[in-house]
């Protein structure tokens, strides 16, 4: 039986995580937050003092990536993420761990180590995969491919509100600088750089709310899955 796959790629803060969860719930599909995998690996390597030794300790880092002890559990308020039995649901959403993830994602060997884990999420009845290279690298066979973007300034403002809502301190200038640096690193990396697939439906959410983007997405997805 063919597994229907919807990919939602885009830069940090574009809203793809929130929309991917809504889309998955709408269609009753499984959800892959690929960014969480990279954040978990980045956090794990940081905890083991290996994040600054990616070149010299690469073999050990690949071993850790292949054997990450992680669990995703759905809860009434979202998804609980466990790393080695510890709840890191909020920790992995911080700007610092986002920086860890971006560093990890730039290493080809570590990306390869996480590919099989991502492919395993593709199960019936279908999958919504959220990330930066889902359509271009991991699931090029996807029936529906969306690239969700927004200006760096609008993404920074959203991120500040999100962090403040979590009770965390956030400075707009720092957030904007981090987003711009991460965009540059993600777009210029050698393996699977951040870019729209040639056949992706591109949505700029800078001036749109979640409901407006959701309706654009579902209209497009319905057409693609009906073909």
């Amino acid at each position: 039986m063919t597994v229907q796959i919807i990919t939602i790629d885009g830069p940090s803060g574009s809203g793809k995580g929130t929309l991917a969860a809504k889309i998955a719930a709408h269609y009753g599909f499984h959800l892959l937050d690929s960014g969480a995998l990279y954040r978990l690996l980045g956090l794990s390597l940081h905890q083991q003092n290996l994040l600054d030794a990616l070149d010299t300790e690469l073999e050990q880092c690949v071993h850790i990536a292949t054997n990450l002890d992680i669990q995703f559990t759905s809860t009434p308020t979202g998804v609980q993420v466990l790393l080695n039995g510890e709840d890191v649901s909020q920790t992995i959403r911080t700007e610092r761990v986002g920086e860890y993830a971006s560093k990890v994602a730039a290493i080809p060997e570590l990306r390869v180590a996480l590919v099989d884990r991502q492919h395993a999420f593709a199960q019936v009845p279908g999958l919504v995969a959220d990330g930066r290279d889902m359509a271009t690298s991991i699931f090029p066979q996807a029936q529906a491919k969306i690239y969700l973007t927004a200006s760096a300034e609008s993404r920074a403002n959203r991120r500040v509100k999100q962090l403040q809502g979590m009770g965390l301190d956030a400075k707009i200038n720092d957030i904007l600088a981090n987003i711009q640096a991460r965009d540059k690193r993600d777009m210029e990396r050698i393996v699977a750089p951040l870019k729209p697939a040639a056949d992706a439906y591109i949505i700029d959410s800078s001036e749109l709310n979640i409901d407006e983007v959701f309706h654009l997405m579902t209209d497009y997805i319905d057409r693609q899955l009906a073909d």
Side-chain angles (χ1 to χ4, degrees):
M1 182 175 180
T2 301
V3 177
Q4 293 183 312
I5 299 175
I6 301 164
T7 59
I8 304 177
D9 289 312
S12 174
S14 59
K16 62 185 183 298
T18 300
L19 269 303
K22 286 176 67 69
I23 293 295
H26 178 76
Y27 290 99
F29 283 7
H30 299 286
L31 175 65
L32 165 59
D33 178 353
S34 66
L37 295 180
Y38 286 98
R39 286 171 178 264
L40 286 162
L41 177 55
L43 178 61
S44 180
L45 295 180
H46 168 72
Q47 291 174 339
Q48 298 178 63
N49 298 314
L50 289 168
L51 197 60
D52 294 324
L54 294 177
D55 293 333
T56 58
E57 302 295 338
L58 183 57
E59 185 175 343
Q60 184 179 355
C61 293
V62 168
H63 176 76
I64 291 170
T66 306
N67 296 280
L68 274 179
D69 178 10
I70 56 177
Q71 289 179 284
F72 294 89
T73 305
S74 296
T75 71
T77 57
V79 177
Q80 182 186 51
V81 184
L82 302 180
L83 174 62
N84 298 319
E86 178 188 356
D87 187 345
V88 294
S89 307
Q90 285 203 347
T91 303
I92 63 168
R93 300 303 174 189
T94 63
E95 284 300 300
R96 178 169 293 183
V97 176
E99 286 294 303
Y100 299 163
S102 189
K103 289 181 180 179
V104 164
I107 308 298
E109 292 85 352
L110 295 180
R111 297 190 68 84
V112 169
L114 292 178
V115 166
D116 287 344
R117 279 179 175 263
Q118 295 173 81
H119 284 163
F121 279 83
Q123 300 178 15
V124 293
L127 172 69
V128 178
D130 148 30
R132 285 170 173 73
D133 66 340
M134 295 297 96
T136 57
S137 179
I138 305 300
F139 297 110
Q141 78 277 22
Q143 289 86 355
K145 302 174 183 178
I146 297 169
Y147 187 86
L148 182 62
T149 188
S151 68
E153 291 75 16
S154 65
R155 287 185 281 136
N157 284 320
R158 292 173 189 170
R159 184 62 174 154
V160 167
K161 291 179 182 178
Q162 180 187 32
L163 291 172
Q164 290 175 342
M166 295 166 61
L168 301 173
D169 184 37
K171 296 182 175 63
I172 184 66
N173 290 339
D174 292 343
I175 299 294
L176 179 58
N178 285 341
I179 284 176
Q180 291 170 331
R182 196 177 309 169
D183 284 352
K184 178 177 173 63
R185 183 159 56 238
D186 290 342
M187 291 176 180
E188 294 180 355
R189 68 189 181 211
I190 297 173
V191 176
L194 170 64
K195 64 178 181 179
D199 54 346
Y201 175 42
I202 300 175
I203 301 175
D204 187 326
S205 67
S206 300
E207 303 298 329
L208 302 175
N209 62 39
I210 288 177
D211 289 338
E212 290 170 328
V213 177
F214 178 79
H215 288 305
L216 287 174
M217 286 185 170
T218 51
D219 285 347
Y220 161 75
I221 293 167
D222 288 345
R223 293 195 302 271
Q224 295 301 111
L225 298 188
D227 289 344

